[in-house]
Amino acid sequence: MSRITRRGMLRGSAAAVCAVSLPAAASPRRPNIVVIYADDLGYGDLGCYGAAGIRTPNIDRLAARGTRFTDAHSPSATCTPSRYALLTGDYAWRASGTQILPGDAPALIRPGQFTLPAMLKAAGYATGLVGKWHLGLGDGEVDWNGRIAPGPLDVGFDQAFFIPATLDRVPTVLIDGRHVVNLDPADPIEVNYKTRIGDEPTGVANPELLKFGADPEHSDTIVNGISRIGYMTGGRAARWEDEELTDQLLGKAKAFVSARRDAPFFLYFAMNEPHVPRAPHPRFAGKSGMGPRGDAILQLDWTVGELMRTLEELGIADDTLVVFSSDNGPVLFDGYEDQAVELAGEHRPSGPYRSGKYSIFEGGTRVPMITCWPGQIPADRVSDALVDHVDLLASLAALVGEALPHDSAVDSLNLLPAFMGRTDRGRAFVVEDTKLMVTTGKSVASSGERVLALRAGDWKLIRASTEPHEFHGNVIGTQPHHQLYDLASDPGERNDLASDMPDRTRELAAMLDRIEQAGRTRP
Ligand code: NG6
Ligand code: CA
């Protein structure tokens, strides 16, 4: 019997394993684990999920070699809370402060907190982060010119090469471990999210310097011809060049896996595509016919292919479990005039689901997800199991034989058999989450209401919220009353059944209240 079966599967769900005949697997090594987390990639954005207008052969190949999920959810409809839940195993809405963070926010995950990388590190894994962090740094006053802590290295990563927040937020610099890369001490960095500092051009004052226009929220300091959210001065030698960034991150990811080819490693490769601002390398520019958003998806796909090729060349592809997914649903216009809306044509970035990023409708959190581990996970399989990224922590703990402390990872369920593609039995329910955007002139705060929805089987209850909600003219799903949808017959959430089915609505609303009040969902 393989180590996986012995150490993980039987512990979690013996029945599920026995129900399906497994490929007789030779004893695998403890696998390397690579989580590739795309940013704002939608359910309908990949060829293997039905996109006809965009070619994603590398990610499609990953799906052909593994299992593709049709009902996988990011824990939230925006980045910070999704990543918080992925890394901690707690639904983000249980904690305060888990909204989209500015680039100078303090560390949200505190040192000592139980996390996915800390768990894998305890199991003997080398752990690395390459890419987007967006979970805050420091204790309130980040010293961009000195030692930056706490950060990823304090919550379980051995190595971290990362961008602090988002591509559209200052500071637009990379951090290696605890220090800004290429920082010239004679040109110190200063960051301010409230008032303009220094005399560098801004999108508001110098729109003629921009590669593309931006809305007022994205019109502060211009870096590399792109205006950002927030002001920064200094650090000129350290500023990234958007067009080169993904190649640089890929280089780091390749170096990490190459250096650790002989030991189990965990790589969290947090890619930025197709988040705004979309400025892919010139070799992708204009190639999709859908403008920079489509081109960014081509870049994402190519980069995934390169990382896979590296694993193959190192001879470790068969010893590596790859998980591919996205932190939230898609958005076309997100502040920059890059023609994403105009050039989308027939492309439906959310596939059959309604709305996208920021939304409590399915498009907000129903994301592509693929797991691939040659010889262990069935190839070319489609799974309808209901799964959530919050479950990866408990599931991977089961895989490597680590126990979870009772009071940590409180919403993370061991769904290893589902992630291994060996059963379609996933969660009985999942809580969907969004923290609403409130647009008030210049300031777009995500200090608005938190709206939760409960998926129980095909039923979906969207909890009533008091604020009316739109984002850039899109209805994002909230109403002053509960909504009830039957996704089996109405996947697009058009037919609110709440007034026709008051009992079911009440029952699901009460269940959601109980889940919230219980403080945990893991048994
Ligand atoms: C929003 C930004 C948006 C994007 C998002 C974070 C405005 C108007 N919009 O506040 O451009 O950066 O935050 O995206 O400021 S996420 O994928 O990291 O959650
Ligand atoms: Ca995102």
Side-chain angles (χ1 to χ4, degrees), residues 290-312:
M290 276 187 210
R293 183 174 190 277
D295 301 342
I297 294 174
L298 300 186
Q299 176 166 278
L300 166 80
D301 182 70
W302 181 86
T303 306
V304 170
E306 283 302 291
L307 187 58
M308 293 308 110
R309 201 163 59 81
T310 303
L311 296 174
E312 278 155 30

Side-chain angles (χ1 to χ4, degrees), residues 144-461:
W144 302 106
N145 305 296
R147 187 174 181 273
I148 299 168
L153 298 191
D154 303 288
V155 297
F157 288 104
D158 297 325
Q159 294 207 354
F161 188 88
F162 61 101
I163 76 163
T166 59
L167 296 182
D168 54 359
R169 284 177 171 75
V170 297
T172 52
V173 295
L174 289 155
I175 300 175
D176 191 353
R178 302 191 192 281
H179 294 93
V180 169
V181 178
N182 290 337
L183 180 65
D184 173 1
D187 184 28
I189 296 173
E190 211 185 315
V191 168
N192 197 311
Y193 271 81
K194 295 201 176 66
T195 42
R196 184 172 173 188
I197 47 173
D199 53 7
E200 288 192 50
T202 64
V204 171
N206 295 89
E208 75 283 359
L209 299 179
L210 297 176
K211 291 176 181 166
F212 32 70
D215 66 11
E217 287 79 18
H218 296 80
S219 289
D220 302 336
T221 302
I222 298 176
V223 178
N224 187 33
I226 299 171
S227 50
R228 317 279 165 162
I229 305 174
Y231 302 96
M232 80 177 282
T233 60
R236 282 170 194 77
R239 297 178 185 191
W240 69 59
E241 210 173 309
D242 300 73
E243 292 80 356
E244 301 296 331
L245 190 54
T246 295
D247 283 347
Q248 212 176 336
L249 297 176
L250 174 63
K252 287 290 169 186
K254 283 182 173 178
F256 179 81
V257 302
S258 305
R260 283 155 197 81
R261 59 194 296 177
D262 296 323
F265 60 77
F266 166 58
L267 171 65
Y268 172 40
F269 189 34
M271 298 187 62
N272 294 291
E273 290 87 355
H275 195 283
V276 295
R278 301 158 183 140
H281 191 276
R283 67 185 186 278
F284 300 105
K287 293 286 167 20
S288 69
M290 276 187 210
R293 183 174 190 277
D295 301 342
I297 294 174
L298 300 186
Q299 176 166 278
L300 166 80
D301 182 70
W302 181 86
T303 306
V304 170
E306 283 302 291
L307 187 58
M308 293 308 110
R309 201 163 59 81
T310 303
L311 296 174
E312 278 155 30
E313 283 169 7
L314 292 170
I316 55 175
D318 289 354
D319 303 325
T320 303
L321 165 61
V322 176
V323 178
F324 175 89
S325 198
S326 172
D327 69 337
N328 51 252
V331 60
L332 295 180
F333 179 77
D334 207 8
Y336 293 94
E337 288 155 18
D338 62 5
Q339 292 206 290
V341 176
E342 295 82 343
L343 297 176
E346 297 295 301
H347 182 64
R348 295 280 165 272
S350 305
Y353 299 108
R354 189 164 180 191
S355 197
K357 182 176 181 179
Y358 309 115
S359 175
I360 197 67
F361 285 133
E362 285 293 284
T365 62
R366 178 120 38 148
V367 288
M369 183 164 186
I370 298 163
T371 58
C372 178
W373 181 8
Q376 300 297 323
I377 293 180
D380 211 9
R381 186 160 188 278
V382 178
S383 170
D384 295 335
L386 179 60
V387 297
D388 190 299
H389 302 152
V390 77
D391 301 318
L392 283 171
L393 177 37
S395 305
L396 294 175
L399 174 67
V400 303
E402 281 291 307
L404 302 179
H406 181 72
D407 292 330
S408 298
V410 296
D411 298 301
S412 190
L413 305 185
N414 174 7
L415 300 182
L416 186 61
F419 288 127
M420 292 291 292
R422 297 176 183 194
T423 171
D424 278 3
R425 181 132 42 92
R427 299 176 141 262
F429 66 85
V430 78
V431 179
E432 300 179 18
D433 164 48
T434 193
K435 178 97 164 136
L436 296 169
M437 310 289 297
V438 183
T439 311
T440 47
K442 166 76 174 71
S443 71
V444 177
S446 38
S447 57
E449 206 173 348
R450 189 136 222 159
V451 178
L452 302 182
L454 177 66
R455 270 284 309 282
D458 287 323
W459 293 104
K460 175 158 170 183
L461 179 282

Side-chain angles (χ1 to χ4, degrees), residues 39-40 78-79 83 132 275 327-328 357:
D39 195 356
D40 300 0
T78 59
C79 164
R83 287 160 206 261
K132 178 179 183 177
H275 195 283
D327 69 337
N328 51 252
K357 182 176 181 179

